[in-house]
């Protein structure tokens, strides 16, 4: 049987593993076998040589090991089948995904599906793999096979897209099967979207906002809506189809705005929609923008690391001050942060700081989060990356 190389932890550093946290930081390592390659599957030992876990090793980053299992099992083809089967079952039996109205969902959400370093999004018959560790890149063909087989005929095409998430992996974005169709027409809560998995951002669409888009739709009837950082118009389409009188979508990316126009064209409400290609921060400084009934603020992650957290918080504050200024009296603000390192309380406090500056009376209507197809491993609270608030602004 194949014997993995081993990594031994310093005394006391086994505690986080025993509490099922899926990461081992490089500082916890006391000793390791020679010549462990990046992406290799290794066995983790405590200071007394007891086996704690198996995982993917990576040098040069603070997370040295991403744990795949704490049980006695081999990490082989049948392991990938088992985990992917489990992920499909959770989506199918509990979330009822896919279904007649929703054909796009997240199949694997890293730590939330006990597969740290791996993201898989499904768009109808296509799965898109995004690896955040070299270990996952190395086994992506095994993963592809497991996804196709466990999908029971649903998945025919698999695209792997790691350039953005792992710029140094020297790995091309490519089809692992025959080439699939692009763009792909998907349904989300009965709304139609065209998703370009090859040229689009991330895996092609921001599936984590599905439930929040539904909520925007519910409040949109008879309202004017300003969708900031709109990407391909996710929130805009729901608002238009649920009876908004006017929707403005703004994004800095021209490609995103063209895709947004195509999505709007699929509805009967193109006349009620305006797309603007602009930098939101610049745009909001203009005095000529009328106030809207509903304003949505869904920026990209401002902080990708703890070191960037302070600046990110300042940016969220400035942005939300400007956005609050554009909310009509009695209107709503949907505001989000998808920075993992900006926690729920910090995000809340930042919005409070912005609101104080606005001098307006504000109520919290809902605390918002990512959808349940982006589950959070209970032992890894960092997995709760998308935070949002729905505020009623007087
Ligand atoms: N709300 C979207 C997802 C937003 S992702 C949805 O539901 O699909 C963040 C978006 O912000 C990306 O489309 C990116 O192009 C855009 N963006 C980044 N910086 C920007 C800026 N300064 N001004 C406007 N858009 C920006």
């Amino acid at each position: 049987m194949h014997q993995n190389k081993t990594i031994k932890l310093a005394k006391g550093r086994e505690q986080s593993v025993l509490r099922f946290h899926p990461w081992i930081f490089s500082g916890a390592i006391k000793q390791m076998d020679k010549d462990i390659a990046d992406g290799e599957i290794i066995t983790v030992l405590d200071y007394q040589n007891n086996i704690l876990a198996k995982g993917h090793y990576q040098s040069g980053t603070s997370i040295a090991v991403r744990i795949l299992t704490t049980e006695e099992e081999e990490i082989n083809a049948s392991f990938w089948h088992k985990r992917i089967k489990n992920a499909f079952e959770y989506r199918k039996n509990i979330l009822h995904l896919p279904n007649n109205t929703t054909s796009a969902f997240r199949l694997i959400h890293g730590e939330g599906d006990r597969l740290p370093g791996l993201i898989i999004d499904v768009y109808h018959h296509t799965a898109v793999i995004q690896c955040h560790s070299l270990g996952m890149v190395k086994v992506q063909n095994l993963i592809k096979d497991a996804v196709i087989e466990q999908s029971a005929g649903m998945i025919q095409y698999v695209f792997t897209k790691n350039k953005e998430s792992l710029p140094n992996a020297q790995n091309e974005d490519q089809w692992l099967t025959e080439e699939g169709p692009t763009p792909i027409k998907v349904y989300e809560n009965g709304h139609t979207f065209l998703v370009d998995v090859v040229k689009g951002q991330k895996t092609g669409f921001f599936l984590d906002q599905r439930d929040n888009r539904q909520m925007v739709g519910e409040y949109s009837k008879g309202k004017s809506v300003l969708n900031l950082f709109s990407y391909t118009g996710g929130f805009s389409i729901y608002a238009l189809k649920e009876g908004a009188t006017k929707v403005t979508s703004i994004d800095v990316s021209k490609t995103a705005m063209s895709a947004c126009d195509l999505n709007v064209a699929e509805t009967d409400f193109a006349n009620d929609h305006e797309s603007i290609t602009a930098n939101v921060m610049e745009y909001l400084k203009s005095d000529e923008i009328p106030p809207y009934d509903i304003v949505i603020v869904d920026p990209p992650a401002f902080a990708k690391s703890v070191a960037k957290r302070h600046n990110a918080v300042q940016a969220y504050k400035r942005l939300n001050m400007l956005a609050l200024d554009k909310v009509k009296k009695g209107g709503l603000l949907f505001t989000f942060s998808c920075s993992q390192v900006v926690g729920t309380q910090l995000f809340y406090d930042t919005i409070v700081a912005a609101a104080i500056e606005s001098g307006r009376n504000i109520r919290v209507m809902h605390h918002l989060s990512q959808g349940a197809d982006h589950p959070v491993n209970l032992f890894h609270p960092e997995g709760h990356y998308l935070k949002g608030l729905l505020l009623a602004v007087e």
Side-chain angles (χ1 to χ4, degrees):
M1 193 186 289
H2 172 72
Q3 189 73 41
N4 298 328
K5 291 191 178 138
T6 61
I7 285 182
K8 193 165 166 174
L9 303 188
K11 188 173 175 185
R13 300 305 290 265
E14 70 282 359
Q15 285 304 324
S16 79
V17 185
L18 296 174
R19 289 197 302 267
F20 300 114
H21 195 280
W23 297 343
I24 292 173
F25 293 101
S26 52
I29 297 174
K30 172 109 188 265
Q31 199 183 310
M32 51 193 272
D33 283 349
K34 275 205 202 97
D35 304 326
I36 298 181
D38 276 340
E40 194 167 328
I41 292 164
I42 50 89
T43 298
V44 181
L45 307 174
D46 73 2
Y47 70 106
Q48 291 173 314
N49 290 328
N50 298 307
I51 294 181
L52 290 170
K54 287 175 189 160
H56 280 140
Y57 173 76
Q58 193 150 341
S59 65
T61 60
S62 64
I63 306 172
V65 181
R66 290 177 164 84
I67 294 178
L68 296 167
T69 186
T70 50
E71 289 147 41
E72 269 186 45
E73 57 184 333
E74 289 301 314
I75 312 298
N76 51 21
S78 87
F79 169 86
W80 300 109
H81 275 264
K82 213 166 40 187
R83 287 292 170 84
I84 286 164
K85 179 169 187 248
N86 180 273
F88 269 117
E89 281 174 353
Y90 166 70
R91 270 89 186 158
K92 206 167 106 196
N93 300 338
I94 299 180
L95 306 179
H96 304 293
L97 289 170
N99 58 50
N100 287 344
T101 55
T102 300
S103 63
F105 63 96
R106 178 154 291 189
L107 171 65
I108 299 288
H109 185 58
E111 289 81 1
D113 287 288
R114 293 180 70 207
L115 291 175
L118 181 64
I119 297 293
I120 303 181
D121 285 342
V122 169
Y123 300 101
H124 209 51
H125 296 309
T126 301
V128 183
I129 298 179
Q130 195 189 55
C131 300
H132 291 257
S133 71
L134 207 53
M136 289 298 181
V137 177
K138 286 190 169 172
V139 291
Q140 63 184 8
N141 274 303
L142 288 177
I143 292 171
K144 178 241 336 171
D145 292 342
V147 167
I148 291 173
E149 193 176 319
Q150 297 301 332
S151 79
M154 180 186 12
I155 304 298
Q156 293 163 17
Y157 311 101
V158 180
F159 189 67
T160 179
K161 207 174 179 191
N162 305 322
K163 253 201 191 141
E164 187 189 297
S165 53
L166 272 181
N168 301 324
Q170 294 179 335
N171 171 78
E172 286 306 307
D173 295 351
Q174 59 184 302
W175 292 98
L176 298 179
T177 55
E178 64 174 305
E179 193 175 321
T182 48
I184 304 166
K185 196 183 248 191
V186 302
Y187 305 101
E188 191 186 84
N189 291 320
H191 304 294
T192 310
F193 293 96
L194 291 168
V195 176
D196 189 333
V197 300
V198 177
K199 296 201 203 89
Q201 296 182 31
K202 304 282 166 107
T203 66
F205 199 54
F206 292 88
L207 295 166
D208 51 0
Q209 290 285 22
R210 182 192 314 109
D211 297 348
N212 302 324
R213 289 187 193 120
Q214 181 77 2
M215 191 179 279
V216 163
E218 284 161 16
Y219 288 105
S220 288
K221 198 170 168 55
K223 307 291 184 189
S224 57
V225 178
L226 176 62
N227 183 9
L228 303 172
F229 306 94
S230 64
Y231 188 50
T232 58
F235 287 107
S236 306
I237 299 299
Y238 280 68
L240 283 169
K241 289 185 59 189
E242 298 302 332
T245 50
K246 162 189 167 184
V247 177
T248 306
S249 306
I250 303 182
D251 200 285
V252 75
S253 153
K254 251 196 192 140
T255 324
M257 287 321 301
S258 324
C260 178
D261 288 339
L262 288 178
N263 285 329
V264 170
E266 295 265 321
T267 72
D268 296 330
F269 306 102
N271 289 340
D272 303 327
H273 183 260
E274 181 187 14
S275 5
I276 299 175
T277 306
N279 180 326
V280 163
M281 296 299 257
E282 299 302 319
Y283 180 81
L284 287 180
K285 283 182 192 147
S286 151
D287 292 332
E288 279 143 45
I289 307 163
Y292 285 75
D293 294 310
I294 297 178
V295 176
I296 301 156
V297 183
D298 184 25
F302 283 163
K304 295 240 162 78
S305 67
V306 176
K308 300 269 165 62
R309 185 157 56 196
H310 179 72
N311 286 344
V313 165
Q314 300 307 318
Y316 283 121
K317 181 181 167 194
R318 274 197 305 278
L319 171 61
N320 280 281
M321 279 166 56
L322 292 169
L324 271 169
D325 236 24
K326 307 299 174 204
V327 182
K328 260 191 202 165
K329 192 169 158 31
L332 302 179
L333 176 70
F334 285 83
T335 185
F336 298 95
S337 161
C338 60
S339 300
Q340 189 177 62
V341 296
V342 176
T344 309
Q345 190 62 44
L346 181 55
F347 177 63
Y348 187 92
D349 293 342
T350 306
I351 300 303
V352 169
I356 289 171
E357 300 288 335
S358 81
R360 299 173 76 175
N361 203 8
I362 298 176
R363 292 186 179 100
V364 179
M365 294 170 65
H366 288 287
H367 291 260
L368 307 171
S369 184
Q370 65 225 43
D373 54 339
H374 296 59
V376 181
N377 177 339
L378 185 68
F379 307 106
H380 177 258
E382 299 94 324
H384 173 214
Y385 69 100
L386 181 63
K387 297 105 197 164
L389 291 167
L390 170 53
L391 303 175
V393 186
E394 286 186 11

